[in-house]
Amino acid sequence: MSARLRRLEHRQFLPLPPAQAWEFFSRPENLARITPPDLGFEVTSPLPERMYAGMIVSYRVSPFAGLRVPWVTEITHVREPEFFVDEQRSGPYRLWHHQH
C-alpha cells in the first residue's frame, strides 16, 4: 500500500507592502499567531529574534482531537523578504513541507 501525498494550497493577499508582511511572518515568536488555533500549537524550545535557515523549533500540537504530540520542524529555506520553508523532522505527519 503506497501513501498518497496531499497538497493543501492557500494564498492570502495582505493589504500592506511585502517588507511589512515579512517583518511579521519572519519573527519566530509569531509562529503561534499564524497557526490555526484548533491545533493547540505551543512552542517548547527557545526562539531567536529572527528566522534563519537551519533553525530547529520544537512544539506540542493537537492535530487530532484530544491527542497532544511533540513536533519538531526545521526552517530549511529563507528568502528575505519573500518566503521561508519549514519541514518536519519528527512529529505527527508522514511528510510536512510548508512554504510561508
Side-chain angles (χ1 to χ4, degrees), residues 11-23:
R11 293 179 185 263
Q12 184 173 15
F13 296 93
L14 304 173
L16 49 111
Q20 189 176 350
W22 178 257
E23 184 60 33

Side-chain angles (χ1 to χ4, degrees), residues 5 15 20 28-29 37-39 45-46 56 60 65 76 81 84 94-95:
L5 290 179
Q20 189 176 350
E29 72 267 16
D38 57 325
L39 277 180
S45 61
I56 302 291
R60 270 194 288 279
T76 58
F84 68 90
R94 286 188 180 179
L95 174 68

Side-chain angles (χ1 to χ4, degrees), residues 3-15:
R4 289 180 31 190
L5 290 179
R6 296 178 191 205
R7 179 181 178 140
L8 173 64
E9 185 171 330
H10 178 79
R11 293 179 185 263
Q12 184 173 15
F13 296 93
L14 304 173

Side-chain angles (χ1 to χ4, degrees), residues 9-86:
E9 185 171 330
H10 178 79
R11 293 179 185 263
Q12 184 173 15
F13 296 93
L14 304 173
L16 49 111
Q20 189 176 350
W22 178 257
E23 184 60 33
F24 175 82
F25 284 99
S26 68
R27 298 187 64 82
E29 72 267 16
N30 290 328
L31 287 169
R33 295 176 69 188
I34 63 175
T35 302
D38 57 325
L39 277 180
F41 186 88
E42 175 189 359
V43 176
T44 59
S45 61
L47 295 175
E49 184 177 316
R50 304 294 296 170
M51 194 80 61
Y52 62 89
M55 184 175 108
I56 302 291
V57 185
S58 300
Y59 326 88
R60 270 194 288 279
V61 294
S62 296
F64 315 107
L67 178 64
R68 298 226 14 104
V69 296
W71 192 21
V72 177
T73 63
E74 178 181 356
I75 304 302
T76 58
H77 299 82
V78 176
R79 186 183 302 162
E80 293 189 34
E82 298 173 35
F83 68 90
F84 68 90
V85 174
D86 64 288

